[in-house]
Amino acid sequence: MRVNRCVRAWLLLCLAVTVLGASAPAPAHGTGPGPRAPVSPPTADPSVPALARAWPVGVRPFVVRGWEPPETAYSRGHRGVDLAAGPGAEVRAVASGRVSFAGRVAGRGAVSVELSGTGTPPLRTTYGPVRASVREGDEVLAGRVLGTLETPDTHCGPTPCLHWGLLRGTAYLNPLSLLPPWLLGTGPSRLLPLDASGARP
Protein backbone atom coordinates (compact mmCIF):
# COMPACT_ATOMS: atom_id res chain seq x y z
CA MET A 1 0.00 0.00 0.00
CA ARG A 2 2.80 2.43 0.95
CA VAL A 3 4.66 1.53 -2.28
CA ASN A 4 1.55 2.34 -4.36
CA ARG A 5 1.21 5.74 -2.63
CA CYS A 6 4.90 6.52 -3.34
CA VAL A 7 4.55 5.53 -6.99
CA ARG A 8 1.40 7.70 -7.36
CA ALA A 9 3.11 10.67 -5.68
CA TRP A 10 6.18 10.28 -7.93
CA LEU A 11 4.00 10.13 -11.08
CA LEU A 12 2.05 13.25 -10.03
CA LEU A 13 5.32 15.09 -9.35
CA CYS A 14 6.70 14.13 -12.79
CA LEU A 15 3.47 15.21 -14.48
CA ALA A 16 3.53 18.59 -12.69
CA VAL A 17 7.15 19.22 -13.69
CA THR A 18 6.38 18.29 -17.31
CA VAL A 19 3.32 20.56 -17.50
CA LEU A 20 5.07 23.48 -15.81
CA GLY A 21 8.13 23.07 -18.01
CA ALA A 22 6.06 22.98 -21.19
CA SER A 23 4.09 26.10 -20.25
CA ALA A 24 7.07 28.15 -19.10
CA PRO A 25 7.96 31.01 -21.45
CA ALA A 26 11.03 30.55 -23.59
CA PRO A 27 14.06 32.39 -22.19
CA ALA A 28 15.34 35.48 -23.93
CA HIS A 29 18.25 34.67 -26.17
CA GLY A 30 21.17 36.76 -27.26
CA THR A 31 24.32 36.05 -29.14
CA GLY A 32 26.21 34.67 -26.14
CA PRO A 33 26.53 31.06 -25.05
CA GLY A 34 23.56 29.18 -23.72
CA PRO A 35 20.69 27.08 -25.00
CA ARG A 36 19.39 27.77 -28.48
CA ALA A 37 16.02 29.38 -28.94
CA PRO A 38 13.49 26.62 -29.57
CA VAL A 39 12.61 26.39 -33.24
CA SER A 40 9.27 24.71 -33.74
CA PRO A 41 8.70 23.09 -37.11
CA PRO A 42 6.57 25.55 -39.09
CA THR A 43 3.04 24.61 -40.02
CA ALA A 44 3.10 22.80 -43.35
CA ASP A 45 2.60 25.26 -46.21
CA PRO A 46 2.24 23.48 -49.57
CA SER A 47 3.22 26.68 -51.39
CA VAL A 48 6.66 26.76 -49.70
CA PRO A 49 9.02 23.91 -50.58
CA ALA A 50 11.68 23.12 -47.94
CA LEU A 51 14.51 23.81 -50.38
CA ALA A 52 16.94 25.80 -48.20
CA ARG A 53 20.45 24.38 -47.90
CA ALA A 54 21.81 26.79 -45.27
CA TRP A 55 20.72 29.26 -42.62
CA PRO A 56 21.26 32.86 -43.71
CA VAL A 57 23.67 33.46 -40.78
CA GLY A 58 25.65 31.08 -38.59
CA VAL A 59 25.11 27.33 -38.37
CA ARG A 60 21.89 27.35 -36.36
CA PRO A 61 21.40 30.86 -34.99
CA PHE A 62 19.28 31.99 -32.06
CA VAL A 63 15.80 33.02 -33.11
CA VAL A 64 15.40 36.38 -31.39
CA ARG A 65 11.84 36.84 -32.62
CA GLY A 66 9.72 34.45 -34.63
CA TRP A 67 7.11 34.72 -37.35
CA GLU A 68 3.94 36.50 -36.22
CA PRO A 69 1.61 36.77 -39.22
CA PRO A 70 -0.67 39.81 -39.17
CA GLU A 71 -4.42 39.22 -39.13
CA THR A 72 -4.87 41.52 -42.14
CA ALA A 73 -2.51 43.15 -44.63
CA TYR A 74 -2.47 46.30 -42.46
CA SER A 75 -2.43 44.71 -38.99
CA ARG A 76 0.54 44.61 -36.66
CA GLY A 77 2.68 41.49 -36.79
CA HIS A 78 6.20 40.33 -37.53
CA ARG A 79 6.59 39.61 -41.21
CA GLY A 80 9.71 37.46 -40.96
CA VAL A 81 12.10 36.12 -38.33
CA ASP A 82 15.00 37.78 -36.51
CA LEU A 83 18.20 35.75 -36.21
CA ALA A 84 20.91 36.77 -33.75
CA ALA A 85 24.17 37.74 -35.42
CA GLY A 86 26.81 40.41 -34.84
CA PRO A 87 27.74 43.27 -37.16
CA GLY A 88 30.05 42.05 -39.92
CA ALA A 89 28.60 38.52 -39.94
CA GLU A 90 28.37 36.98 -43.41
CA VAL A 91 24.81 36.80 -44.74
CA ARG A 92 24.24 33.93 -47.18
CA ALA A 93 21.59 32.93 -49.71
CA VAL A 94 19.56 30.06 -48.26
CA ALA A 95 18.81 28.63 -51.72
CA SER A 96 19.72 29.19 -55.35
CA GLY A 97 18.20 32.10 -57.24
CA ARG A 98 18.69 35.53 -58.75
CA VAL A 99 19.33 38.77 -56.85
CA SER A 100 16.27 40.95 -57.52
CA PHE A 101 17.39 43.86 -55.32
CA ALA A 102 20.61 44.95 -53.62
CA GLY A 103 20.73 48.45 -52.22
CA ARG A 104 19.32 50.71 -49.56
CA VAL A 105 15.74 51.26 -48.44
CA ALA A 106 15.17 54.21 -46.10
CA GLY A 107 18.90 54.21 -45.29
CA ARG A 108 18.94 50.49 -44.46
CA GLY A 109 20.87 47.96 -46.56
CA ALA A 110 18.75 45.17 -48.05
CA VAL A 111 19.09 42.23 -50.42
CA SER A 112 16.29 40.22 -52.07
CA VAL A 113 16.72 36.92 -53.90
CA GLU A 114 14.11 35.33 -56.18
CA LEU A 115 14.35 31.58 -55.63
CA SER A 116 14.72 29.34 -58.68
CA GLY A 117 11.96 26.91 -59.63
CA THR A 118 9.39 28.20 -57.13
CA GLY A 119 6.53 29.10 -59.48
CA THR A 120 4.93 32.35 -60.61
CA PRO A 121 5.37 34.69 -58.94
CA PRO A 122 8.54 33.16 -57.51
CA LEU A 123 9.27 32.99 -53.81
CA ARG A 124 11.51 35.87 -52.74
CA THR A 125 13.75 35.96 -49.67
CA THR A 126 14.74 39.28 -48.08
CA TYR A 127 17.68 40.07 -45.80
CA GLY A 128 18.43 43.22 -43.80
CA PRO A 129 20.23 45.26 -42.64
CA VAL A 130 22.92 44.05 -45.06
CA ARG A 131 25.82 45.76 -46.79
CA ALA A 132 25.48 43.99 -50.14
CA SER A 133 28.42 42.36 -51.94
CA VAL A 134 26.16 41.22 -54.82
CA ARG A 135 24.34 43.20 -57.50
CA GLU A 136 20.87 43.05 -58.96
CA GLY A 137 20.75 40.32 -61.61
CA ASP A 138 23.51 38.17 -60.07
CA GLU A 139 22.80 34.44 -60.07
CA VAL A 140 23.59 32.91 -56.67
CA LEU A 141 23.84 29.39 -55.31
CA ALA A 142 22.77 28.29 -51.85
CA GLY A 143 25.40 29.38 -49.34
CA ARG A 144 26.71 32.25 -51.50
CA VAL A 145 27.63 35.29 -49.41
CA LEU A 146 25.27 38.16 -50.23
CA GLY A 147 26.95 40.71 -47.96
CA THR A 148 27.66 41.44 -44.32
CA LEU A 149 25.36 42.38 -41.49
CA GLU A 150 25.40 46.13 -40.86
CA THR A 151 25.48 47.84 -37.48
CA PRO A 152 22.14 46.99 -35.89
CA ASP A 153 19.25 49.39 -36.16
CA THR A 154 16.31 49.71 -33.80
CA HIS A 155 14.41 46.72 -35.26
CA CYS A 156 15.92 44.12 -32.93
CA GLY A 157 16.36 46.27 -29.83
CA PRO A 158 19.55 45.56 -27.85
CA THR A 159 20.29 42.23 -29.57
CA PRO A 160 21.92 42.61 -33.01
CA CYS A 161 20.13 40.51 -35.58
CA LEU A 162 19.36 39.77 -39.20
CA HIS A 163 15.74 40.19 -40.27
CA TRP A 164 14.94 37.42 -42.76
CA GLY A 165 11.72 37.50 -44.74
CA LEU A 166 9.91 35.47 -47.38
CA LEU A 167 7.29 36.64 -49.87
CA ARG A 168 5.34 35.35 -52.83
CA GLY A 169 4.22 38.44 -54.70
CA THR A 170 3.08 40.78 -51.92
CA ALA A 171 2.07 38.00 -49.50
CA TYR A 172 4.43 37.44 -46.56
CA LEU A 173 5.17 33.83 -45.56
CA ASN A 174 7.13 32.17 -42.77
CA PRO A 175 10.78 31.92 -43.94
CA LEU A 176 11.40 29.01 -41.56
CA SER A 177 9.14 26.98 -43.91
CA LEU A 178 12.07 26.92 -46.35
CA LEU A 179 14.22 24.97 -43.89
CA PRO A 180 14.10 21.16 -44.06
CA PRO A 181 14.03 19.23 -40.75
CA TRP A 182 17.78 18.54 -40.81
CA LEU A 183 18.48 22.31 -40.78
CA LEU A 184 15.84 23.03 -38.14
CA GLY A 185 17.35 20.31 -35.97
CA THR A 186 14.06 18.41 -35.88
CA GLY A 187 15.18 15.43 -37.93
CA PRO A 188 18.21 13.28 -38.66
CA SER A 189 21.15 14.73 -40.60
CA ARG A 190 21.54 13.45 -44.12
CA LEU A 191 24.04 13.79 -46.95
CA LEU A 192 22.95 15.70 -50.02
CA PRO A 193 23.45 14.15 -53.47
CA LEU A 194 26.35 15.35 -55.60
CA ASP A 195 25.56 17.51 -58.61
CA ALA A 196 27.15 17.00 -62.05
CA SER A 197 30.33 18.84 -61.03
CA GLY A 198 30.82 16.61 -57.98
CA ALA A 199 29.96 19.42 -55.53
CA ARG A 200 27.17 19.37 -53.00
CA PRO A 201 24.27 21.69 -53.90
Side-chain angles (χ1 to χ4, degrees), residues 21-121:
S23 62
H29 294 284
T31 56
R36 297 182 194 278
V39 179
S40 300
T43 304
D45 184 340
S47 71
V48 181
L51 50 74
R53 294 296 175 256
W55 283 87
V57 287
V59 177
R60 186 167 176 233
F62 298 111
V63 177
V64 178
R65 185 177 177 191
W67 163 250
E68 298 164 17
E71 290 182 14
T72 70
Y74 305 103
S75 300
R76 292 185 58 159
H78 192 234
R79 296 162 170 84
V81 295
D82 294 338
L83 306 175
E90 290 184 337
V91 177
R92 297 180 299 274
V94 298
S96 300
R98 183 184 64 82
V99 176
S100 56
F101 179 82
R104 305 197 77 73
V105 178
R108 185 176 192 252
V111 176
S112 295
V113 178
E114 288 183 354
L115 304 183
S116 302
T118 56
T120 304

Side-chain angles (χ1 to χ4, degrees), residues 2 22 25-26 34 40 51 66 72 85 99 102 106 116 119 126 129-130 167 170 173 176 181:
R2 183 176 296 174
S40 300
L51 50 74
T72 70
V99 176
S116 302
T126 61
V130 175
L167 299 95
T170 58
L173 304 166
L176 293 178

Side-chain angles (χ1 to χ4, degrees), residues 56-57 88-92 101-105 107-112 126-134 145-151 153 161-164:
V57 287
E90 290 184 337
V91 177
R92 297 180 299 274
F101 179 82
R104 305 197 77 73
V105 178
R108 185 176 192 252
V111 176
S112 295
T126 61
Y127 310 83
V130 175
R131 183 174 306 281
S133 60
V134 291
V145 174
L146 303 172
T148 55
L149 193 63
E150 293 183 332
T151 302
D153 54 21
C161 77
L162 170 76
H163 180 78
W164 177 36

Side-chain angles (χ1 to χ4, degrees), residues 130-199:
V130 175
R131 183 174 306 281
S133 60
V134 291
R135 290 185 287 191
E136 186 174 330
D138 285 354
E139 296 289 335
V140 296
L141 296 175
R144 163 85 182 269
V145 174
L146 303 172
T148 55
L149 193 63
E150 293 183 332
T151 302
D153 54 21
T154 57
H155 177 80
C156 291
T159 304
C161 77
L162 170 76
H163 180 78
W164 177 36
L166 176 67
L167 299 95
R168 186 183 292 281
T170 58
Y172 286 87
L173 304 166
N174 184 355
L176 293 178
S177 302
L178 290 169
L179 299 172
W182 60 271
L183 272 177
L184 283 169
T186 58
S189 298
R190 63 184 179 83
L191 293 175
L192 295 174
L194 297 176
D195 65 16
S197 68

